């Protein structure tokens, strides 16, 4: 009889334990699913708020790259004197000021994009310095001419960075 009582107790207890385990797992999965849903909705709301700010940062850096494009920069900034070194330093100073004005935009961009923009700025400055070191460049007008002729042979560094920005913005959608 004692054995029958154990079997009877087990026949009641075992289904209750199985039901308890199933219920526990169900509620555990339900809570995890709700947490994921809540996190998704928060992330969606965050992106809704941050996307305009990020796009504005990309716009500002696009404007920066357009402004330091040597074709446009050399036309916009005319020599203040005929000394090539004065003009070289003045143009480089303008590029640096533009860059410093937009430094805060890096927090809204990927590190790779910011590195490419910085590289484009440095390459632009390097092109100006290399052109100024040539022997055939005697004055500021000749410096402008040499730089613009160099750009006929190769692409402006800012154009490559602009292409990267366009790709990165396209990935945001």
């Amino acid at each position: 009889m004692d054995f029958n009582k154990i079997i009877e107790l087990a026949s009641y207890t075992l289904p209750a334990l199985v039901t308890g385990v199933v219920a526990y797992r169900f509620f555990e999965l339900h809570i995890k699913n709700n947490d994921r849903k809540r996190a998704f909705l928060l992330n969606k709301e965050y992106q809704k708020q941050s996307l305009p700010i990020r796009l504005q940062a990309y716009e500002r850096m696009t404007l920066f790259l357009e402004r330091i494009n040597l074709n446009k920069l050399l036309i916009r900034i005319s020599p203040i004197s005929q000394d090539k070194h004065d003009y070289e330093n003045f143009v480089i100073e303008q590029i640096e000021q533009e860059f410093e004005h937009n430094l805060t935009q890096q927090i809204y961009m990927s590190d790779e994009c910011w590195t490419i923009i910085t590289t484009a700025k440095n390459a632009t400055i390097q092109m100006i310095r290399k052109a100024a070191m040539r022997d055939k460049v005697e004055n500021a007008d000749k410096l402008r001419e040499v730089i613009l002729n160099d750009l006929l042979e190769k692409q402006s560094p800012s154009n490559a960075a602009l292409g990267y920005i366009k790709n990165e913005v396209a990935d945001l959608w």
Side-chain angles (χ1 to χ4, degrees), residues 5-158:
K5 286 270 190 193
I6 293 174
I7 298 249
E8 186 180 326
L9 184 62
S11 68
Y12 291 122
T13 308
L14 189 60
L17 284 174
V18 169
T19 304
V21 169
V22 168
Y24 176 78
R25 290 290 297 150
F26 173 75
F27 284 121
E28 183 182 48
L29 289 172
H30 180 69
I31 289 170
K32 283 182 182 178
N33 190 26
N34 278 348
D35 287 345
R36 280 192 218 123
K37 183 178 179 182
R38 198 174 306 120
F40 172 77
L41 292 173
L42 284 172
N43 191 25
K44 185 177 175 184
E45 184 63 29
Y46 168 74
Q47 284 189 354
K48 189 189 303 182
Q49 292 173 359
S50 69
L51 183 63
I53 295 170
R54 289 187 71 196
L55 288 174
Q56 185 179 27
Y58 285 113
E59 287 172 4
R60 286 187 62 180
M61 293 318 297
T62 299
L63 180 61
F64 164 73
L65 290 169
E66 285 291 336
R67 289 183 60 81
I68 69 163
N69 185 327
L70 285 171
N71 288 324
K72 297 171 185 163
L73 184 68
L74 295 177
I75 292 170
R76 190 175 70 246
I77 301 174
S78 56
I80 47 178
S81 74
Q82 284 302 310
D83 184 30
K84 71 178 181 179
H85 295 294
D86 286 345
Y87 186 61
E88 168 192 4
N89 292 331
F90 183 66
V91 171
I92 291 171
E93 183 181 313
Q94 295 299 313
I95 293 170
E96 291 292 350
Q97 284 178 357
E98 284 279 340
F99 184 72
E100 288 173 10
H101 181 71
N102 290 296
L103 268 177
T104 58
Q105 303 309 311
Q106 67 184 300
I107 63 174
Y108 301 111
M109 310 184 150
S110 69
D111 289 337
E112 186 176 352
C113 185
W114 185 254
T115 301
I116 288 174
I117 291 168
T118 306
T119 303
K121 175 198 71 113
N122 292 336
T124 301
I125 291 172
Q126 185 179 23
M127 285 179 73
I128 295 168
R129 289 205 167 121
K130 280 184 178 179
M133 291 187 331
R134 292 187 188 161
D135 291 333
K136 66 180 181 178
V137 176
E138 299 109 19
N139 58 35
D141 288 326
K142 189 67 174 171
L143 176 61
R144 287 171 85 182
E145 183 182 321
V146 166
I147 293 171
L148 291 172
N149 283 336
D150 286 348
L151 288 174
L152 293 175
E153 299 168 8
K154 55 186 168 186
Q155 182 179 349
S156 174
S158 59

